[in-house]
Amino acid sequence: MLAQLVWESFAFVYAAANLLGVIVLAGLRDGAFFKRPSKEAVKEVQIAQKQYWSVGLNPLPGFSHRFFTLRNGVKLHYVVKTDSLLRKDSLRSSQDDAVKPQNVAVFIHGFPDSFLLWKKILGASSLDSHILIAVDLPGYGGSEGINTYSANDVLETMAEFILGMREKYLKEEAKILLVTHDWGAVIGARLAAEASQLADRWVIASVLIPEHAYSNTTAKVASAKQMLHTYMRQPTRISLLKNAYNTMKPVLSQFRRSFYVFIFNLPYPLAPIFPTFGNYWFLRLLHKAGHGRLAPSKYRKLTSKEAGDAMASSAGPALAQLDEPNGYAASLKNRLPNNGMLEKFRIYREGLFRGPWEKSIETVVALSEIQSSSKRGSGGSGAGLFDDGPPGALKAPATIVYGADDPAFESQLALGGVGDYLAKDSQVVVLEDSGHWLPLEELGSSAIEEVVAWAMEGEEGALKERFGGKWKERVRFHVQV
């Protein structure tokens, strides 16, 4: 009880101090409270929203808007590549039994994005012959929100959506791939651990595997505490203090990197201030980071079009698109006054990272009916042939893609001992000089495209062989299981 009180007090003080510091920084350095978007900037957002969110238009070449209604009536928005579907219908009508069924890739974004995060990869010519689906998370983009953003509700929602996509688009002998980023990758890691039948391979980018990161953190804290206990009995051993500090450095580094997570978990009415103050200062900062514009060597303002596209991606459809017939749920209009930010940040607050998931009867039955891929072997983790590995270990082949310069995560917590949490035929790929928004970066998007193409083409040959030549100095295979 006392330890919990101390932790909650620390978290509140740390978050409140960071919120105050950020507000002062934004006000003094960036003039966030005095700047208003120009007419040109507003116009660019409106143009982008019409282009990407009008249900009667193709948001990307070959893609169309679709909706999936859950059992509870919640309406999720996704886009699907129709060119390949039309070709498939044509091939089916010709009754050509030699035609190989098309594989399916489902893309899941994170905070504060939408399906547009994957724009570069979805347009890749190497994926033209496959069915590509990109969904908006509940409460994001064009998808309706859900009652809570607990692990139970979010994982159940996404499992039901993936099962629906399998039923609608996946044909016998074809394979399905899940490609995920940020909070989408948290969902991907949890589903790969708790509902691995959903996909044949998981691509998990820019995230910590929840139970693995928790295990690494608690192990370092326990080790440091033991050193401090020993020091209290032997105060002359100053080296113990130094060793305890060095042991805790990765944890302290993660605290520093996660300052915004602490702010998002402040009590109301403090928590909603951060995602909306100063004309969405934090959101615009993330947009700059996603375009690699915060690094001193690359720093510059986003062009009006870049800023407009980024804001349209995060904000979702405007009133004009919501009023179109046969389209989005009416409840999305409630998000317009704050661009949906007050819905989006709840994903940090309500237990998705490590909370329990009690699968519904419908989900349990559907998962049991999916035939396991013959390539999975035992389906266990790298911990051993006859066990399931530690709690939270992935039970399906996965490719983890991590930016070496990702500012959101401490690499020792993200990568230390990660092989114990991976299933057979898995890899951890580290991209040099890469940050967090890999799908938007040149190297990151190209590398993820290469991984997706390799998986969709049947995983012929080792993945490492595809990253020779021009990739050799920039792509490092940290773990192969």
Side-chain angles (χ1 to χ4, degrees), residues 274-286:
F274 186 52
T276 58
F277 86 91
N279 189 29
Y280 305 99
W281 176 86
F282 181 61
L283 181 59
R284 295 177 188 278
L285 186 73
L286 295 182

Side-chain angles (χ1 to χ4, degrees), residues 315-327:
L319 181 60
Q321 290 80 55
L322 296 181
D323 282 338
E324 293 175 359
N326 304 316

